[in-house]
């Protein structure tokens, strides 16, 4: 029960932090024109590409998601990451089935919903509107990756520059694919990326919990 309450608290904090700027931006600039949910992309997704495009996307995304870039770093750094309390997934290490509910809350709400609203809902759509769809998707991907690098630095994670480079590259690619999924394959809805982001994080957490 303690883990569930902790995950709920963390999810609420994340939602407040990540929704603050989008909500204020919408309230002061767009509330008279459009409702918040539609403005941010929280509406029913509709496939607007051919089915084979979705299959190609799935194959590319699976490659970047399943590729374990930690195998490219040295053993000492890997051991440090596997035991660091700053790596969120480590909190569920060895917990087994007890981790399922809190991990669902953490991965789908604190990560999936909160991060997707800010980056694919708010930033991506604003950047696409200003610079065009492709440049906007690229820019939000870079910003999303930089956020992860900065969080590692703020947390005092003792990882090498090479690890930061690898994390930046693979996180950027994941963010690019999520932005592309919403804006180019579906109809601008961020629900597909919420589901994919949350599911990916949840699977990774379960591998640690049952490992």
């Amino acid at each position: 029960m303690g883990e569930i309450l902790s995950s709920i608290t963390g999810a609420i904090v994340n939602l407040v932090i990540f929704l603050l700027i989008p909500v204020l931006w919408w309230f002061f600039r767009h509330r008279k024109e459009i409702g918040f949910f539609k403005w941010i992309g929280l509406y029913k997704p509709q496939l607007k590409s051919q089915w084979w495009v979705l299959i190609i996307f799935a194959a590319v995304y699976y490659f970047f998601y399943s590729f374990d870039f930690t195998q490219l770093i040295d053993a000492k750094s890997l051991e440090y990451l596997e035991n660091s309390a700053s790596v969120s997934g480590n909190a569920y290490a060895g917990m087994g089935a007890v981790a399922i509910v809190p991990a669902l809350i953490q991965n789908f709400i604190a990560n999936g919903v909160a991060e997707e609203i800010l980056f694919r809902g708010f930033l991506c759509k604003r950047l696409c509107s200003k610079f065009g769809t492709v440049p906007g998707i690229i820019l939000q991907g870079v910003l999303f990756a930089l956020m992860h690098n900065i969080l590692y630095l703020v947390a005092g994670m003792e990882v090498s520059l090479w690890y930061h480079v690898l994390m930046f590259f693979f996180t950027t690619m994941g963010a690019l694919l999520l932005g592309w999924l919403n804006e180019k394959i579906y109809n601008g809805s961020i629900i597909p990326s919420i589901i994919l982001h949350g599911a990916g994080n949840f699977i990774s957490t379960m591998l640690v919990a049952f490992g």
Side-chain angles (χ1 to χ4, degrees), residues 39 69 78 84 103 107-108 139 183 196:
W39 179 76
F69 72 84
L78 181 58
S84 174
N107 296 147
F108 276 95
L139 283 171
E183 302 301 326
L196 206 54

Side-chain angles (χ1 to χ4, degrees), residues 136-148:
I137 291 174
I138 293 173
L139 283 171
Q140 64 83 27
V142 170
L143 291 172
F144 185 70
L146 283 175
M147 178 196 73
H148 286 76

Side-chain angles (χ1 to χ4, degrees), residues 56-209:
I56 293 174
F57 170 87
V60 174
Y61 186 83
Y62 176 78
F63 169 78
F64 281 100
Y65 171 75
S66 63
F67 185 84
D68 182 14
F69 72 84
T70 59
Q71 64 184 297
L72 300 176
I73 64 176
D74 61 278
K76 184 179 180 180
S77 296
L78 181 58
E79 182 181 3
Y80 171 78
L81 289 167
E82 289 176 341
N83 293 283
S84 174
S86 297
V87 179
S88 59
N90 290 343
Y92 302 104
M95 290 177 58
V98 177
I100 293 176
V101 174
L104 275 171
I105 296 170
Q106 174 70 30
N107 296 147
F108 276 95
I109 299 178
N111 299 137
V113 174
E115 291 183 6
E116 290 306 308
I117 284 179
L118 177 59
F119 284 93
R120 257 62 69 186
F122 176 69
L123 279 177
C124 187
K125 292 186 182 300
R126 306 290 77 74
L127 292 171
C128 287
S129 176
K130 185 172 182 62
F131 301 108
T133 302
V134 174
I137 291 174
I138 293 173
L139 283 171
Q140 64 83 27
V142 170
L143 291 172
F144 185 70
L146 283 175
M147 178 196 73
H148 286 76
N149 289 111
I150 291 169
L151 288 176
Y152 267 53
L153 292 172
V154 171
M157 297 285 286
E158 298 176 10
V159 294
S160 65
L161 176 61
W162 176 237
Y163 180 81
H164 275 288
V165 171
L166 288 172
M167 181 172 66
F168 175 81
F169 174 74
F170 282 93
T171 305
T172 297
M173 291 307 301
L176 291 179
L177 289 168
L178 290 175
W180 192 271
L181 176 70
N182 293 342
E183 302 301 326
K184 301 293 285 186
I185 297 179
Y186 282 92
N187 58 332
S189 169
I190 65 171
I191 291 177
S193 64
I194 288 175
I195 295 173
L196 206 54
H197 189 168
N201 284 7
F202 179 70
I203 291 171
S204 296
T205 302
M206 289 298 97
L207 291 175
V208 172

